[in-house]
Amino acid sequence: MEVSGLDSDGRQFKNAGEMWREQIGGDGEGEQHQQHKKTQWYREGISYWEGVEASVDGVLGGFGTVNEADINGSEAFLQTLLSDRFPNAGKNQHLVALDCGSGIGRITKNLLIRYFNEVDLLEPVSHFLDAARESLAPENHVVSDMHKAVNFFCVPLQEFTPDTGKYDIIWVQWCIGHLTDDDFVSFFKRAKVGLKPGGLFVLKENIARTGFVLDKQDRSITRSDLYFKELFSQCGLHVYKSKDQKGLPEELFAVKMYALTTEMPKRIHKTRSKAQANRPCIIK
């Protein structure tokens, strides 16, 4: 990406390539050395979250108060997607979702499990996943037998491949910033196989105003809207709908929701163009 950016110390980078070469190596460095640096990148990211309390305040970086606004914004967005793509939801259609970077199960518990019959959780930080498993256990969570958390995968995004054709929605929130660009693209390419026909990805993320911001503490990158769209294109994904999250504190990054589809957007064809309408024609 030919966009400039900076890190959490204020250091400027000419483009994303320069930043990634410093973080995970690049051309001219041995493959083994690059792999070591990339492994270190992911290890430091996991290590940061292993030191965070398994609570709403912990997983939201001390901003637990945004939980309600976040869930309300996500719910409004999800409802439009369900009515558009899954009109029989709740009747005779069995819906399955995957919650990526699920943390303590906050989004599953407050949102997904109310709309989906089955939810699988994917989270690499084991004590977060343990908290999610406990929170979503039938005895601790009042939900009908028709709506339940099923699988708890303790696997990082960059190593996960879903079962073929399993999910109606794959929800990816506040975690994709931990992936390098190449692993971002390979994750979505692999995860595509996990979608049912007509299924969607929902990506909800912090958005940099321009370029990118590298957080050196937790080893994550906040990308701009333009940066995301360039990566979506590399993944073979198309933006079906997008929406800005409202009601978050001004000092935080802006947050955007994208619904992504593997299908090309349908072009709207007008039945008669102006040129045709003005042509002489035979009245039959």
Side-chain angles (χ1 to χ4, degrees):
M1 276 290 294
E2 291 304 311
V3 289
S4 61
L6 50 93
D7 68 18
S8 47
D9 293 336
R11 180 188 163 189
Q12 298 276 346
F13 295 93
K14 286 182 293 186
N15 53 47
E18 181 187 24
M19 182 275 293
W20 285 123
R21 278 192 296 278
E22 182 177 284
Q23 296 302 312
I24 59 168
D27 298 337
E29 295 183 33
E31 192 176 328
Q32 198 170 2
H33 180 64
Q34 285 184 54
Q35 193 53 51
H36 172 74
K37 286 186 82 170
K38 187 188 261 195
T39 300
Q40 192 67 14
W41 163 275
Y42 286 121
R43 187 178 291 136
E44 288 175 9
I46 293 289
S47 177
Y48 171 84
W49 289 108
E50 283 175 344
V52 169
E53 180 186 84
S55 65
V56 170
D57 209 44
V59 296
L60 292 177
F63 285 90
T65 52
V66 309
N67 179 62
E68 188 177 352
D70 169 56
I71 294 297
N72 289 342
S74 295
E75 183 162 21
F77 190 60
L78 178 60
Q79 284 174 342
T80 64
L81 300 178
L82 292 176
S83 62
D84 282 359
R85 307 281 287 203
F86 310 103
N88 295 320
K91 297 170 190 169
N92 56 1
Q93 194 172 9
H94 187 87
L95 295 181
V96 184
L98 174 65
D99 182 359
C100 295
S102 62
I104 61 171
R106 182 184 68 87
I107 297 161
T108 292
K109 184 173 184 174
N110 293 311
L111 177 65
L112 299 180
I113 208 163
R114 294 193 282 115
Y115 289 90
F116 294 86
N117 302 100
E118 295 180 29
V119 184
D120 289 346
L121 289 82
L122 175 66
E123 170 55 53
V125 179
S126 58
H127 77 288
F128 286 172
L129 202 62
D130 289 342
R133 194 181 279 111
E134 185 178 345
S135 171
L136 291 159
E139 62 269 23
N140 295 332
H141 186 59
V142 180
V143 72
S144 78
D145 290 341
M146 298 299 292
H147 294 263
K148 54 191 174 185
V150 180
N151 295 300
F152 296 81
F153 301 114
C154 193
V155 182
L157 285 179
Q158 71 274 13
E159 295 174 18
F160 183 75
T161 303
D163 291 342
T164 303
K166 183 173 184 182
Y167 300 108
D168 297 282
I169 296 274
I170 295 179
W171 193 279
V172 186
Q173 180 169 346
W174 285 332
C175 60
I176 204 73
H178 288 287
L179 294 197
T180 63
D181 288 357
D182 57 340
D183 282 337
F184 180 114
V185 173
S186 65
F187 165 71
F188 278 108
K189 285 185 171 179
R190 288 193 315 278
K192 277 184 201 177
V193 305
L195 289 175
K196 294 180 188 176
L200 296 167
F201 290 105
V202 175
L203 177 69
K204 185 169 184 177
E205 262 305 336
N206 294 340
I207 302 290
R209 282 199 187 125
T210 59
F212 59 88
V213 179
L214 165 68
D215 188 321
K216 294 177 71 176
Q217 187 179 23
D218 70 1
R219 286 289 180 261
S220 70
I221 176 171
T222 299
R223 299 170 171 99
S224 66
D225 178 62
L226 189 67
Y227 198 149
F228 272 121
K229 285 174 176 169
E230 170 62 29
L231 291 178
F232 297 157
S233 176
Q234 291 178 37
C235 298
L237 294 172
H238 309 280
V239 177
Y240 174 72
K241 265 186 171 53
S242 64
K243 190 176 182 183
D244 295 331
Q245 169 69 47
K246 305 293 186 191
L248 300 186
E250 285 185 12
E251 66 265 29
L252 299 181
F253 281 112
V255 173
K256 200 174 186 77
M257 295 171 272
Y258 302 93
L260 304 167
T261 174
T262 58
E263 307 153 11
M264 282 288 287
K266 290 187 173 69
R267 295 187 181 278
I268 298 168
H269 297 288
K270 292 180 180 173
T271 49
R272 296 176 70 191
S273 69
K274 262 189 178 176
Q276 289 174 321
N278 291 331
R279 279 186 195 146
C281 58
I282 299 165
I283 299 170
K284 293 182 181 175

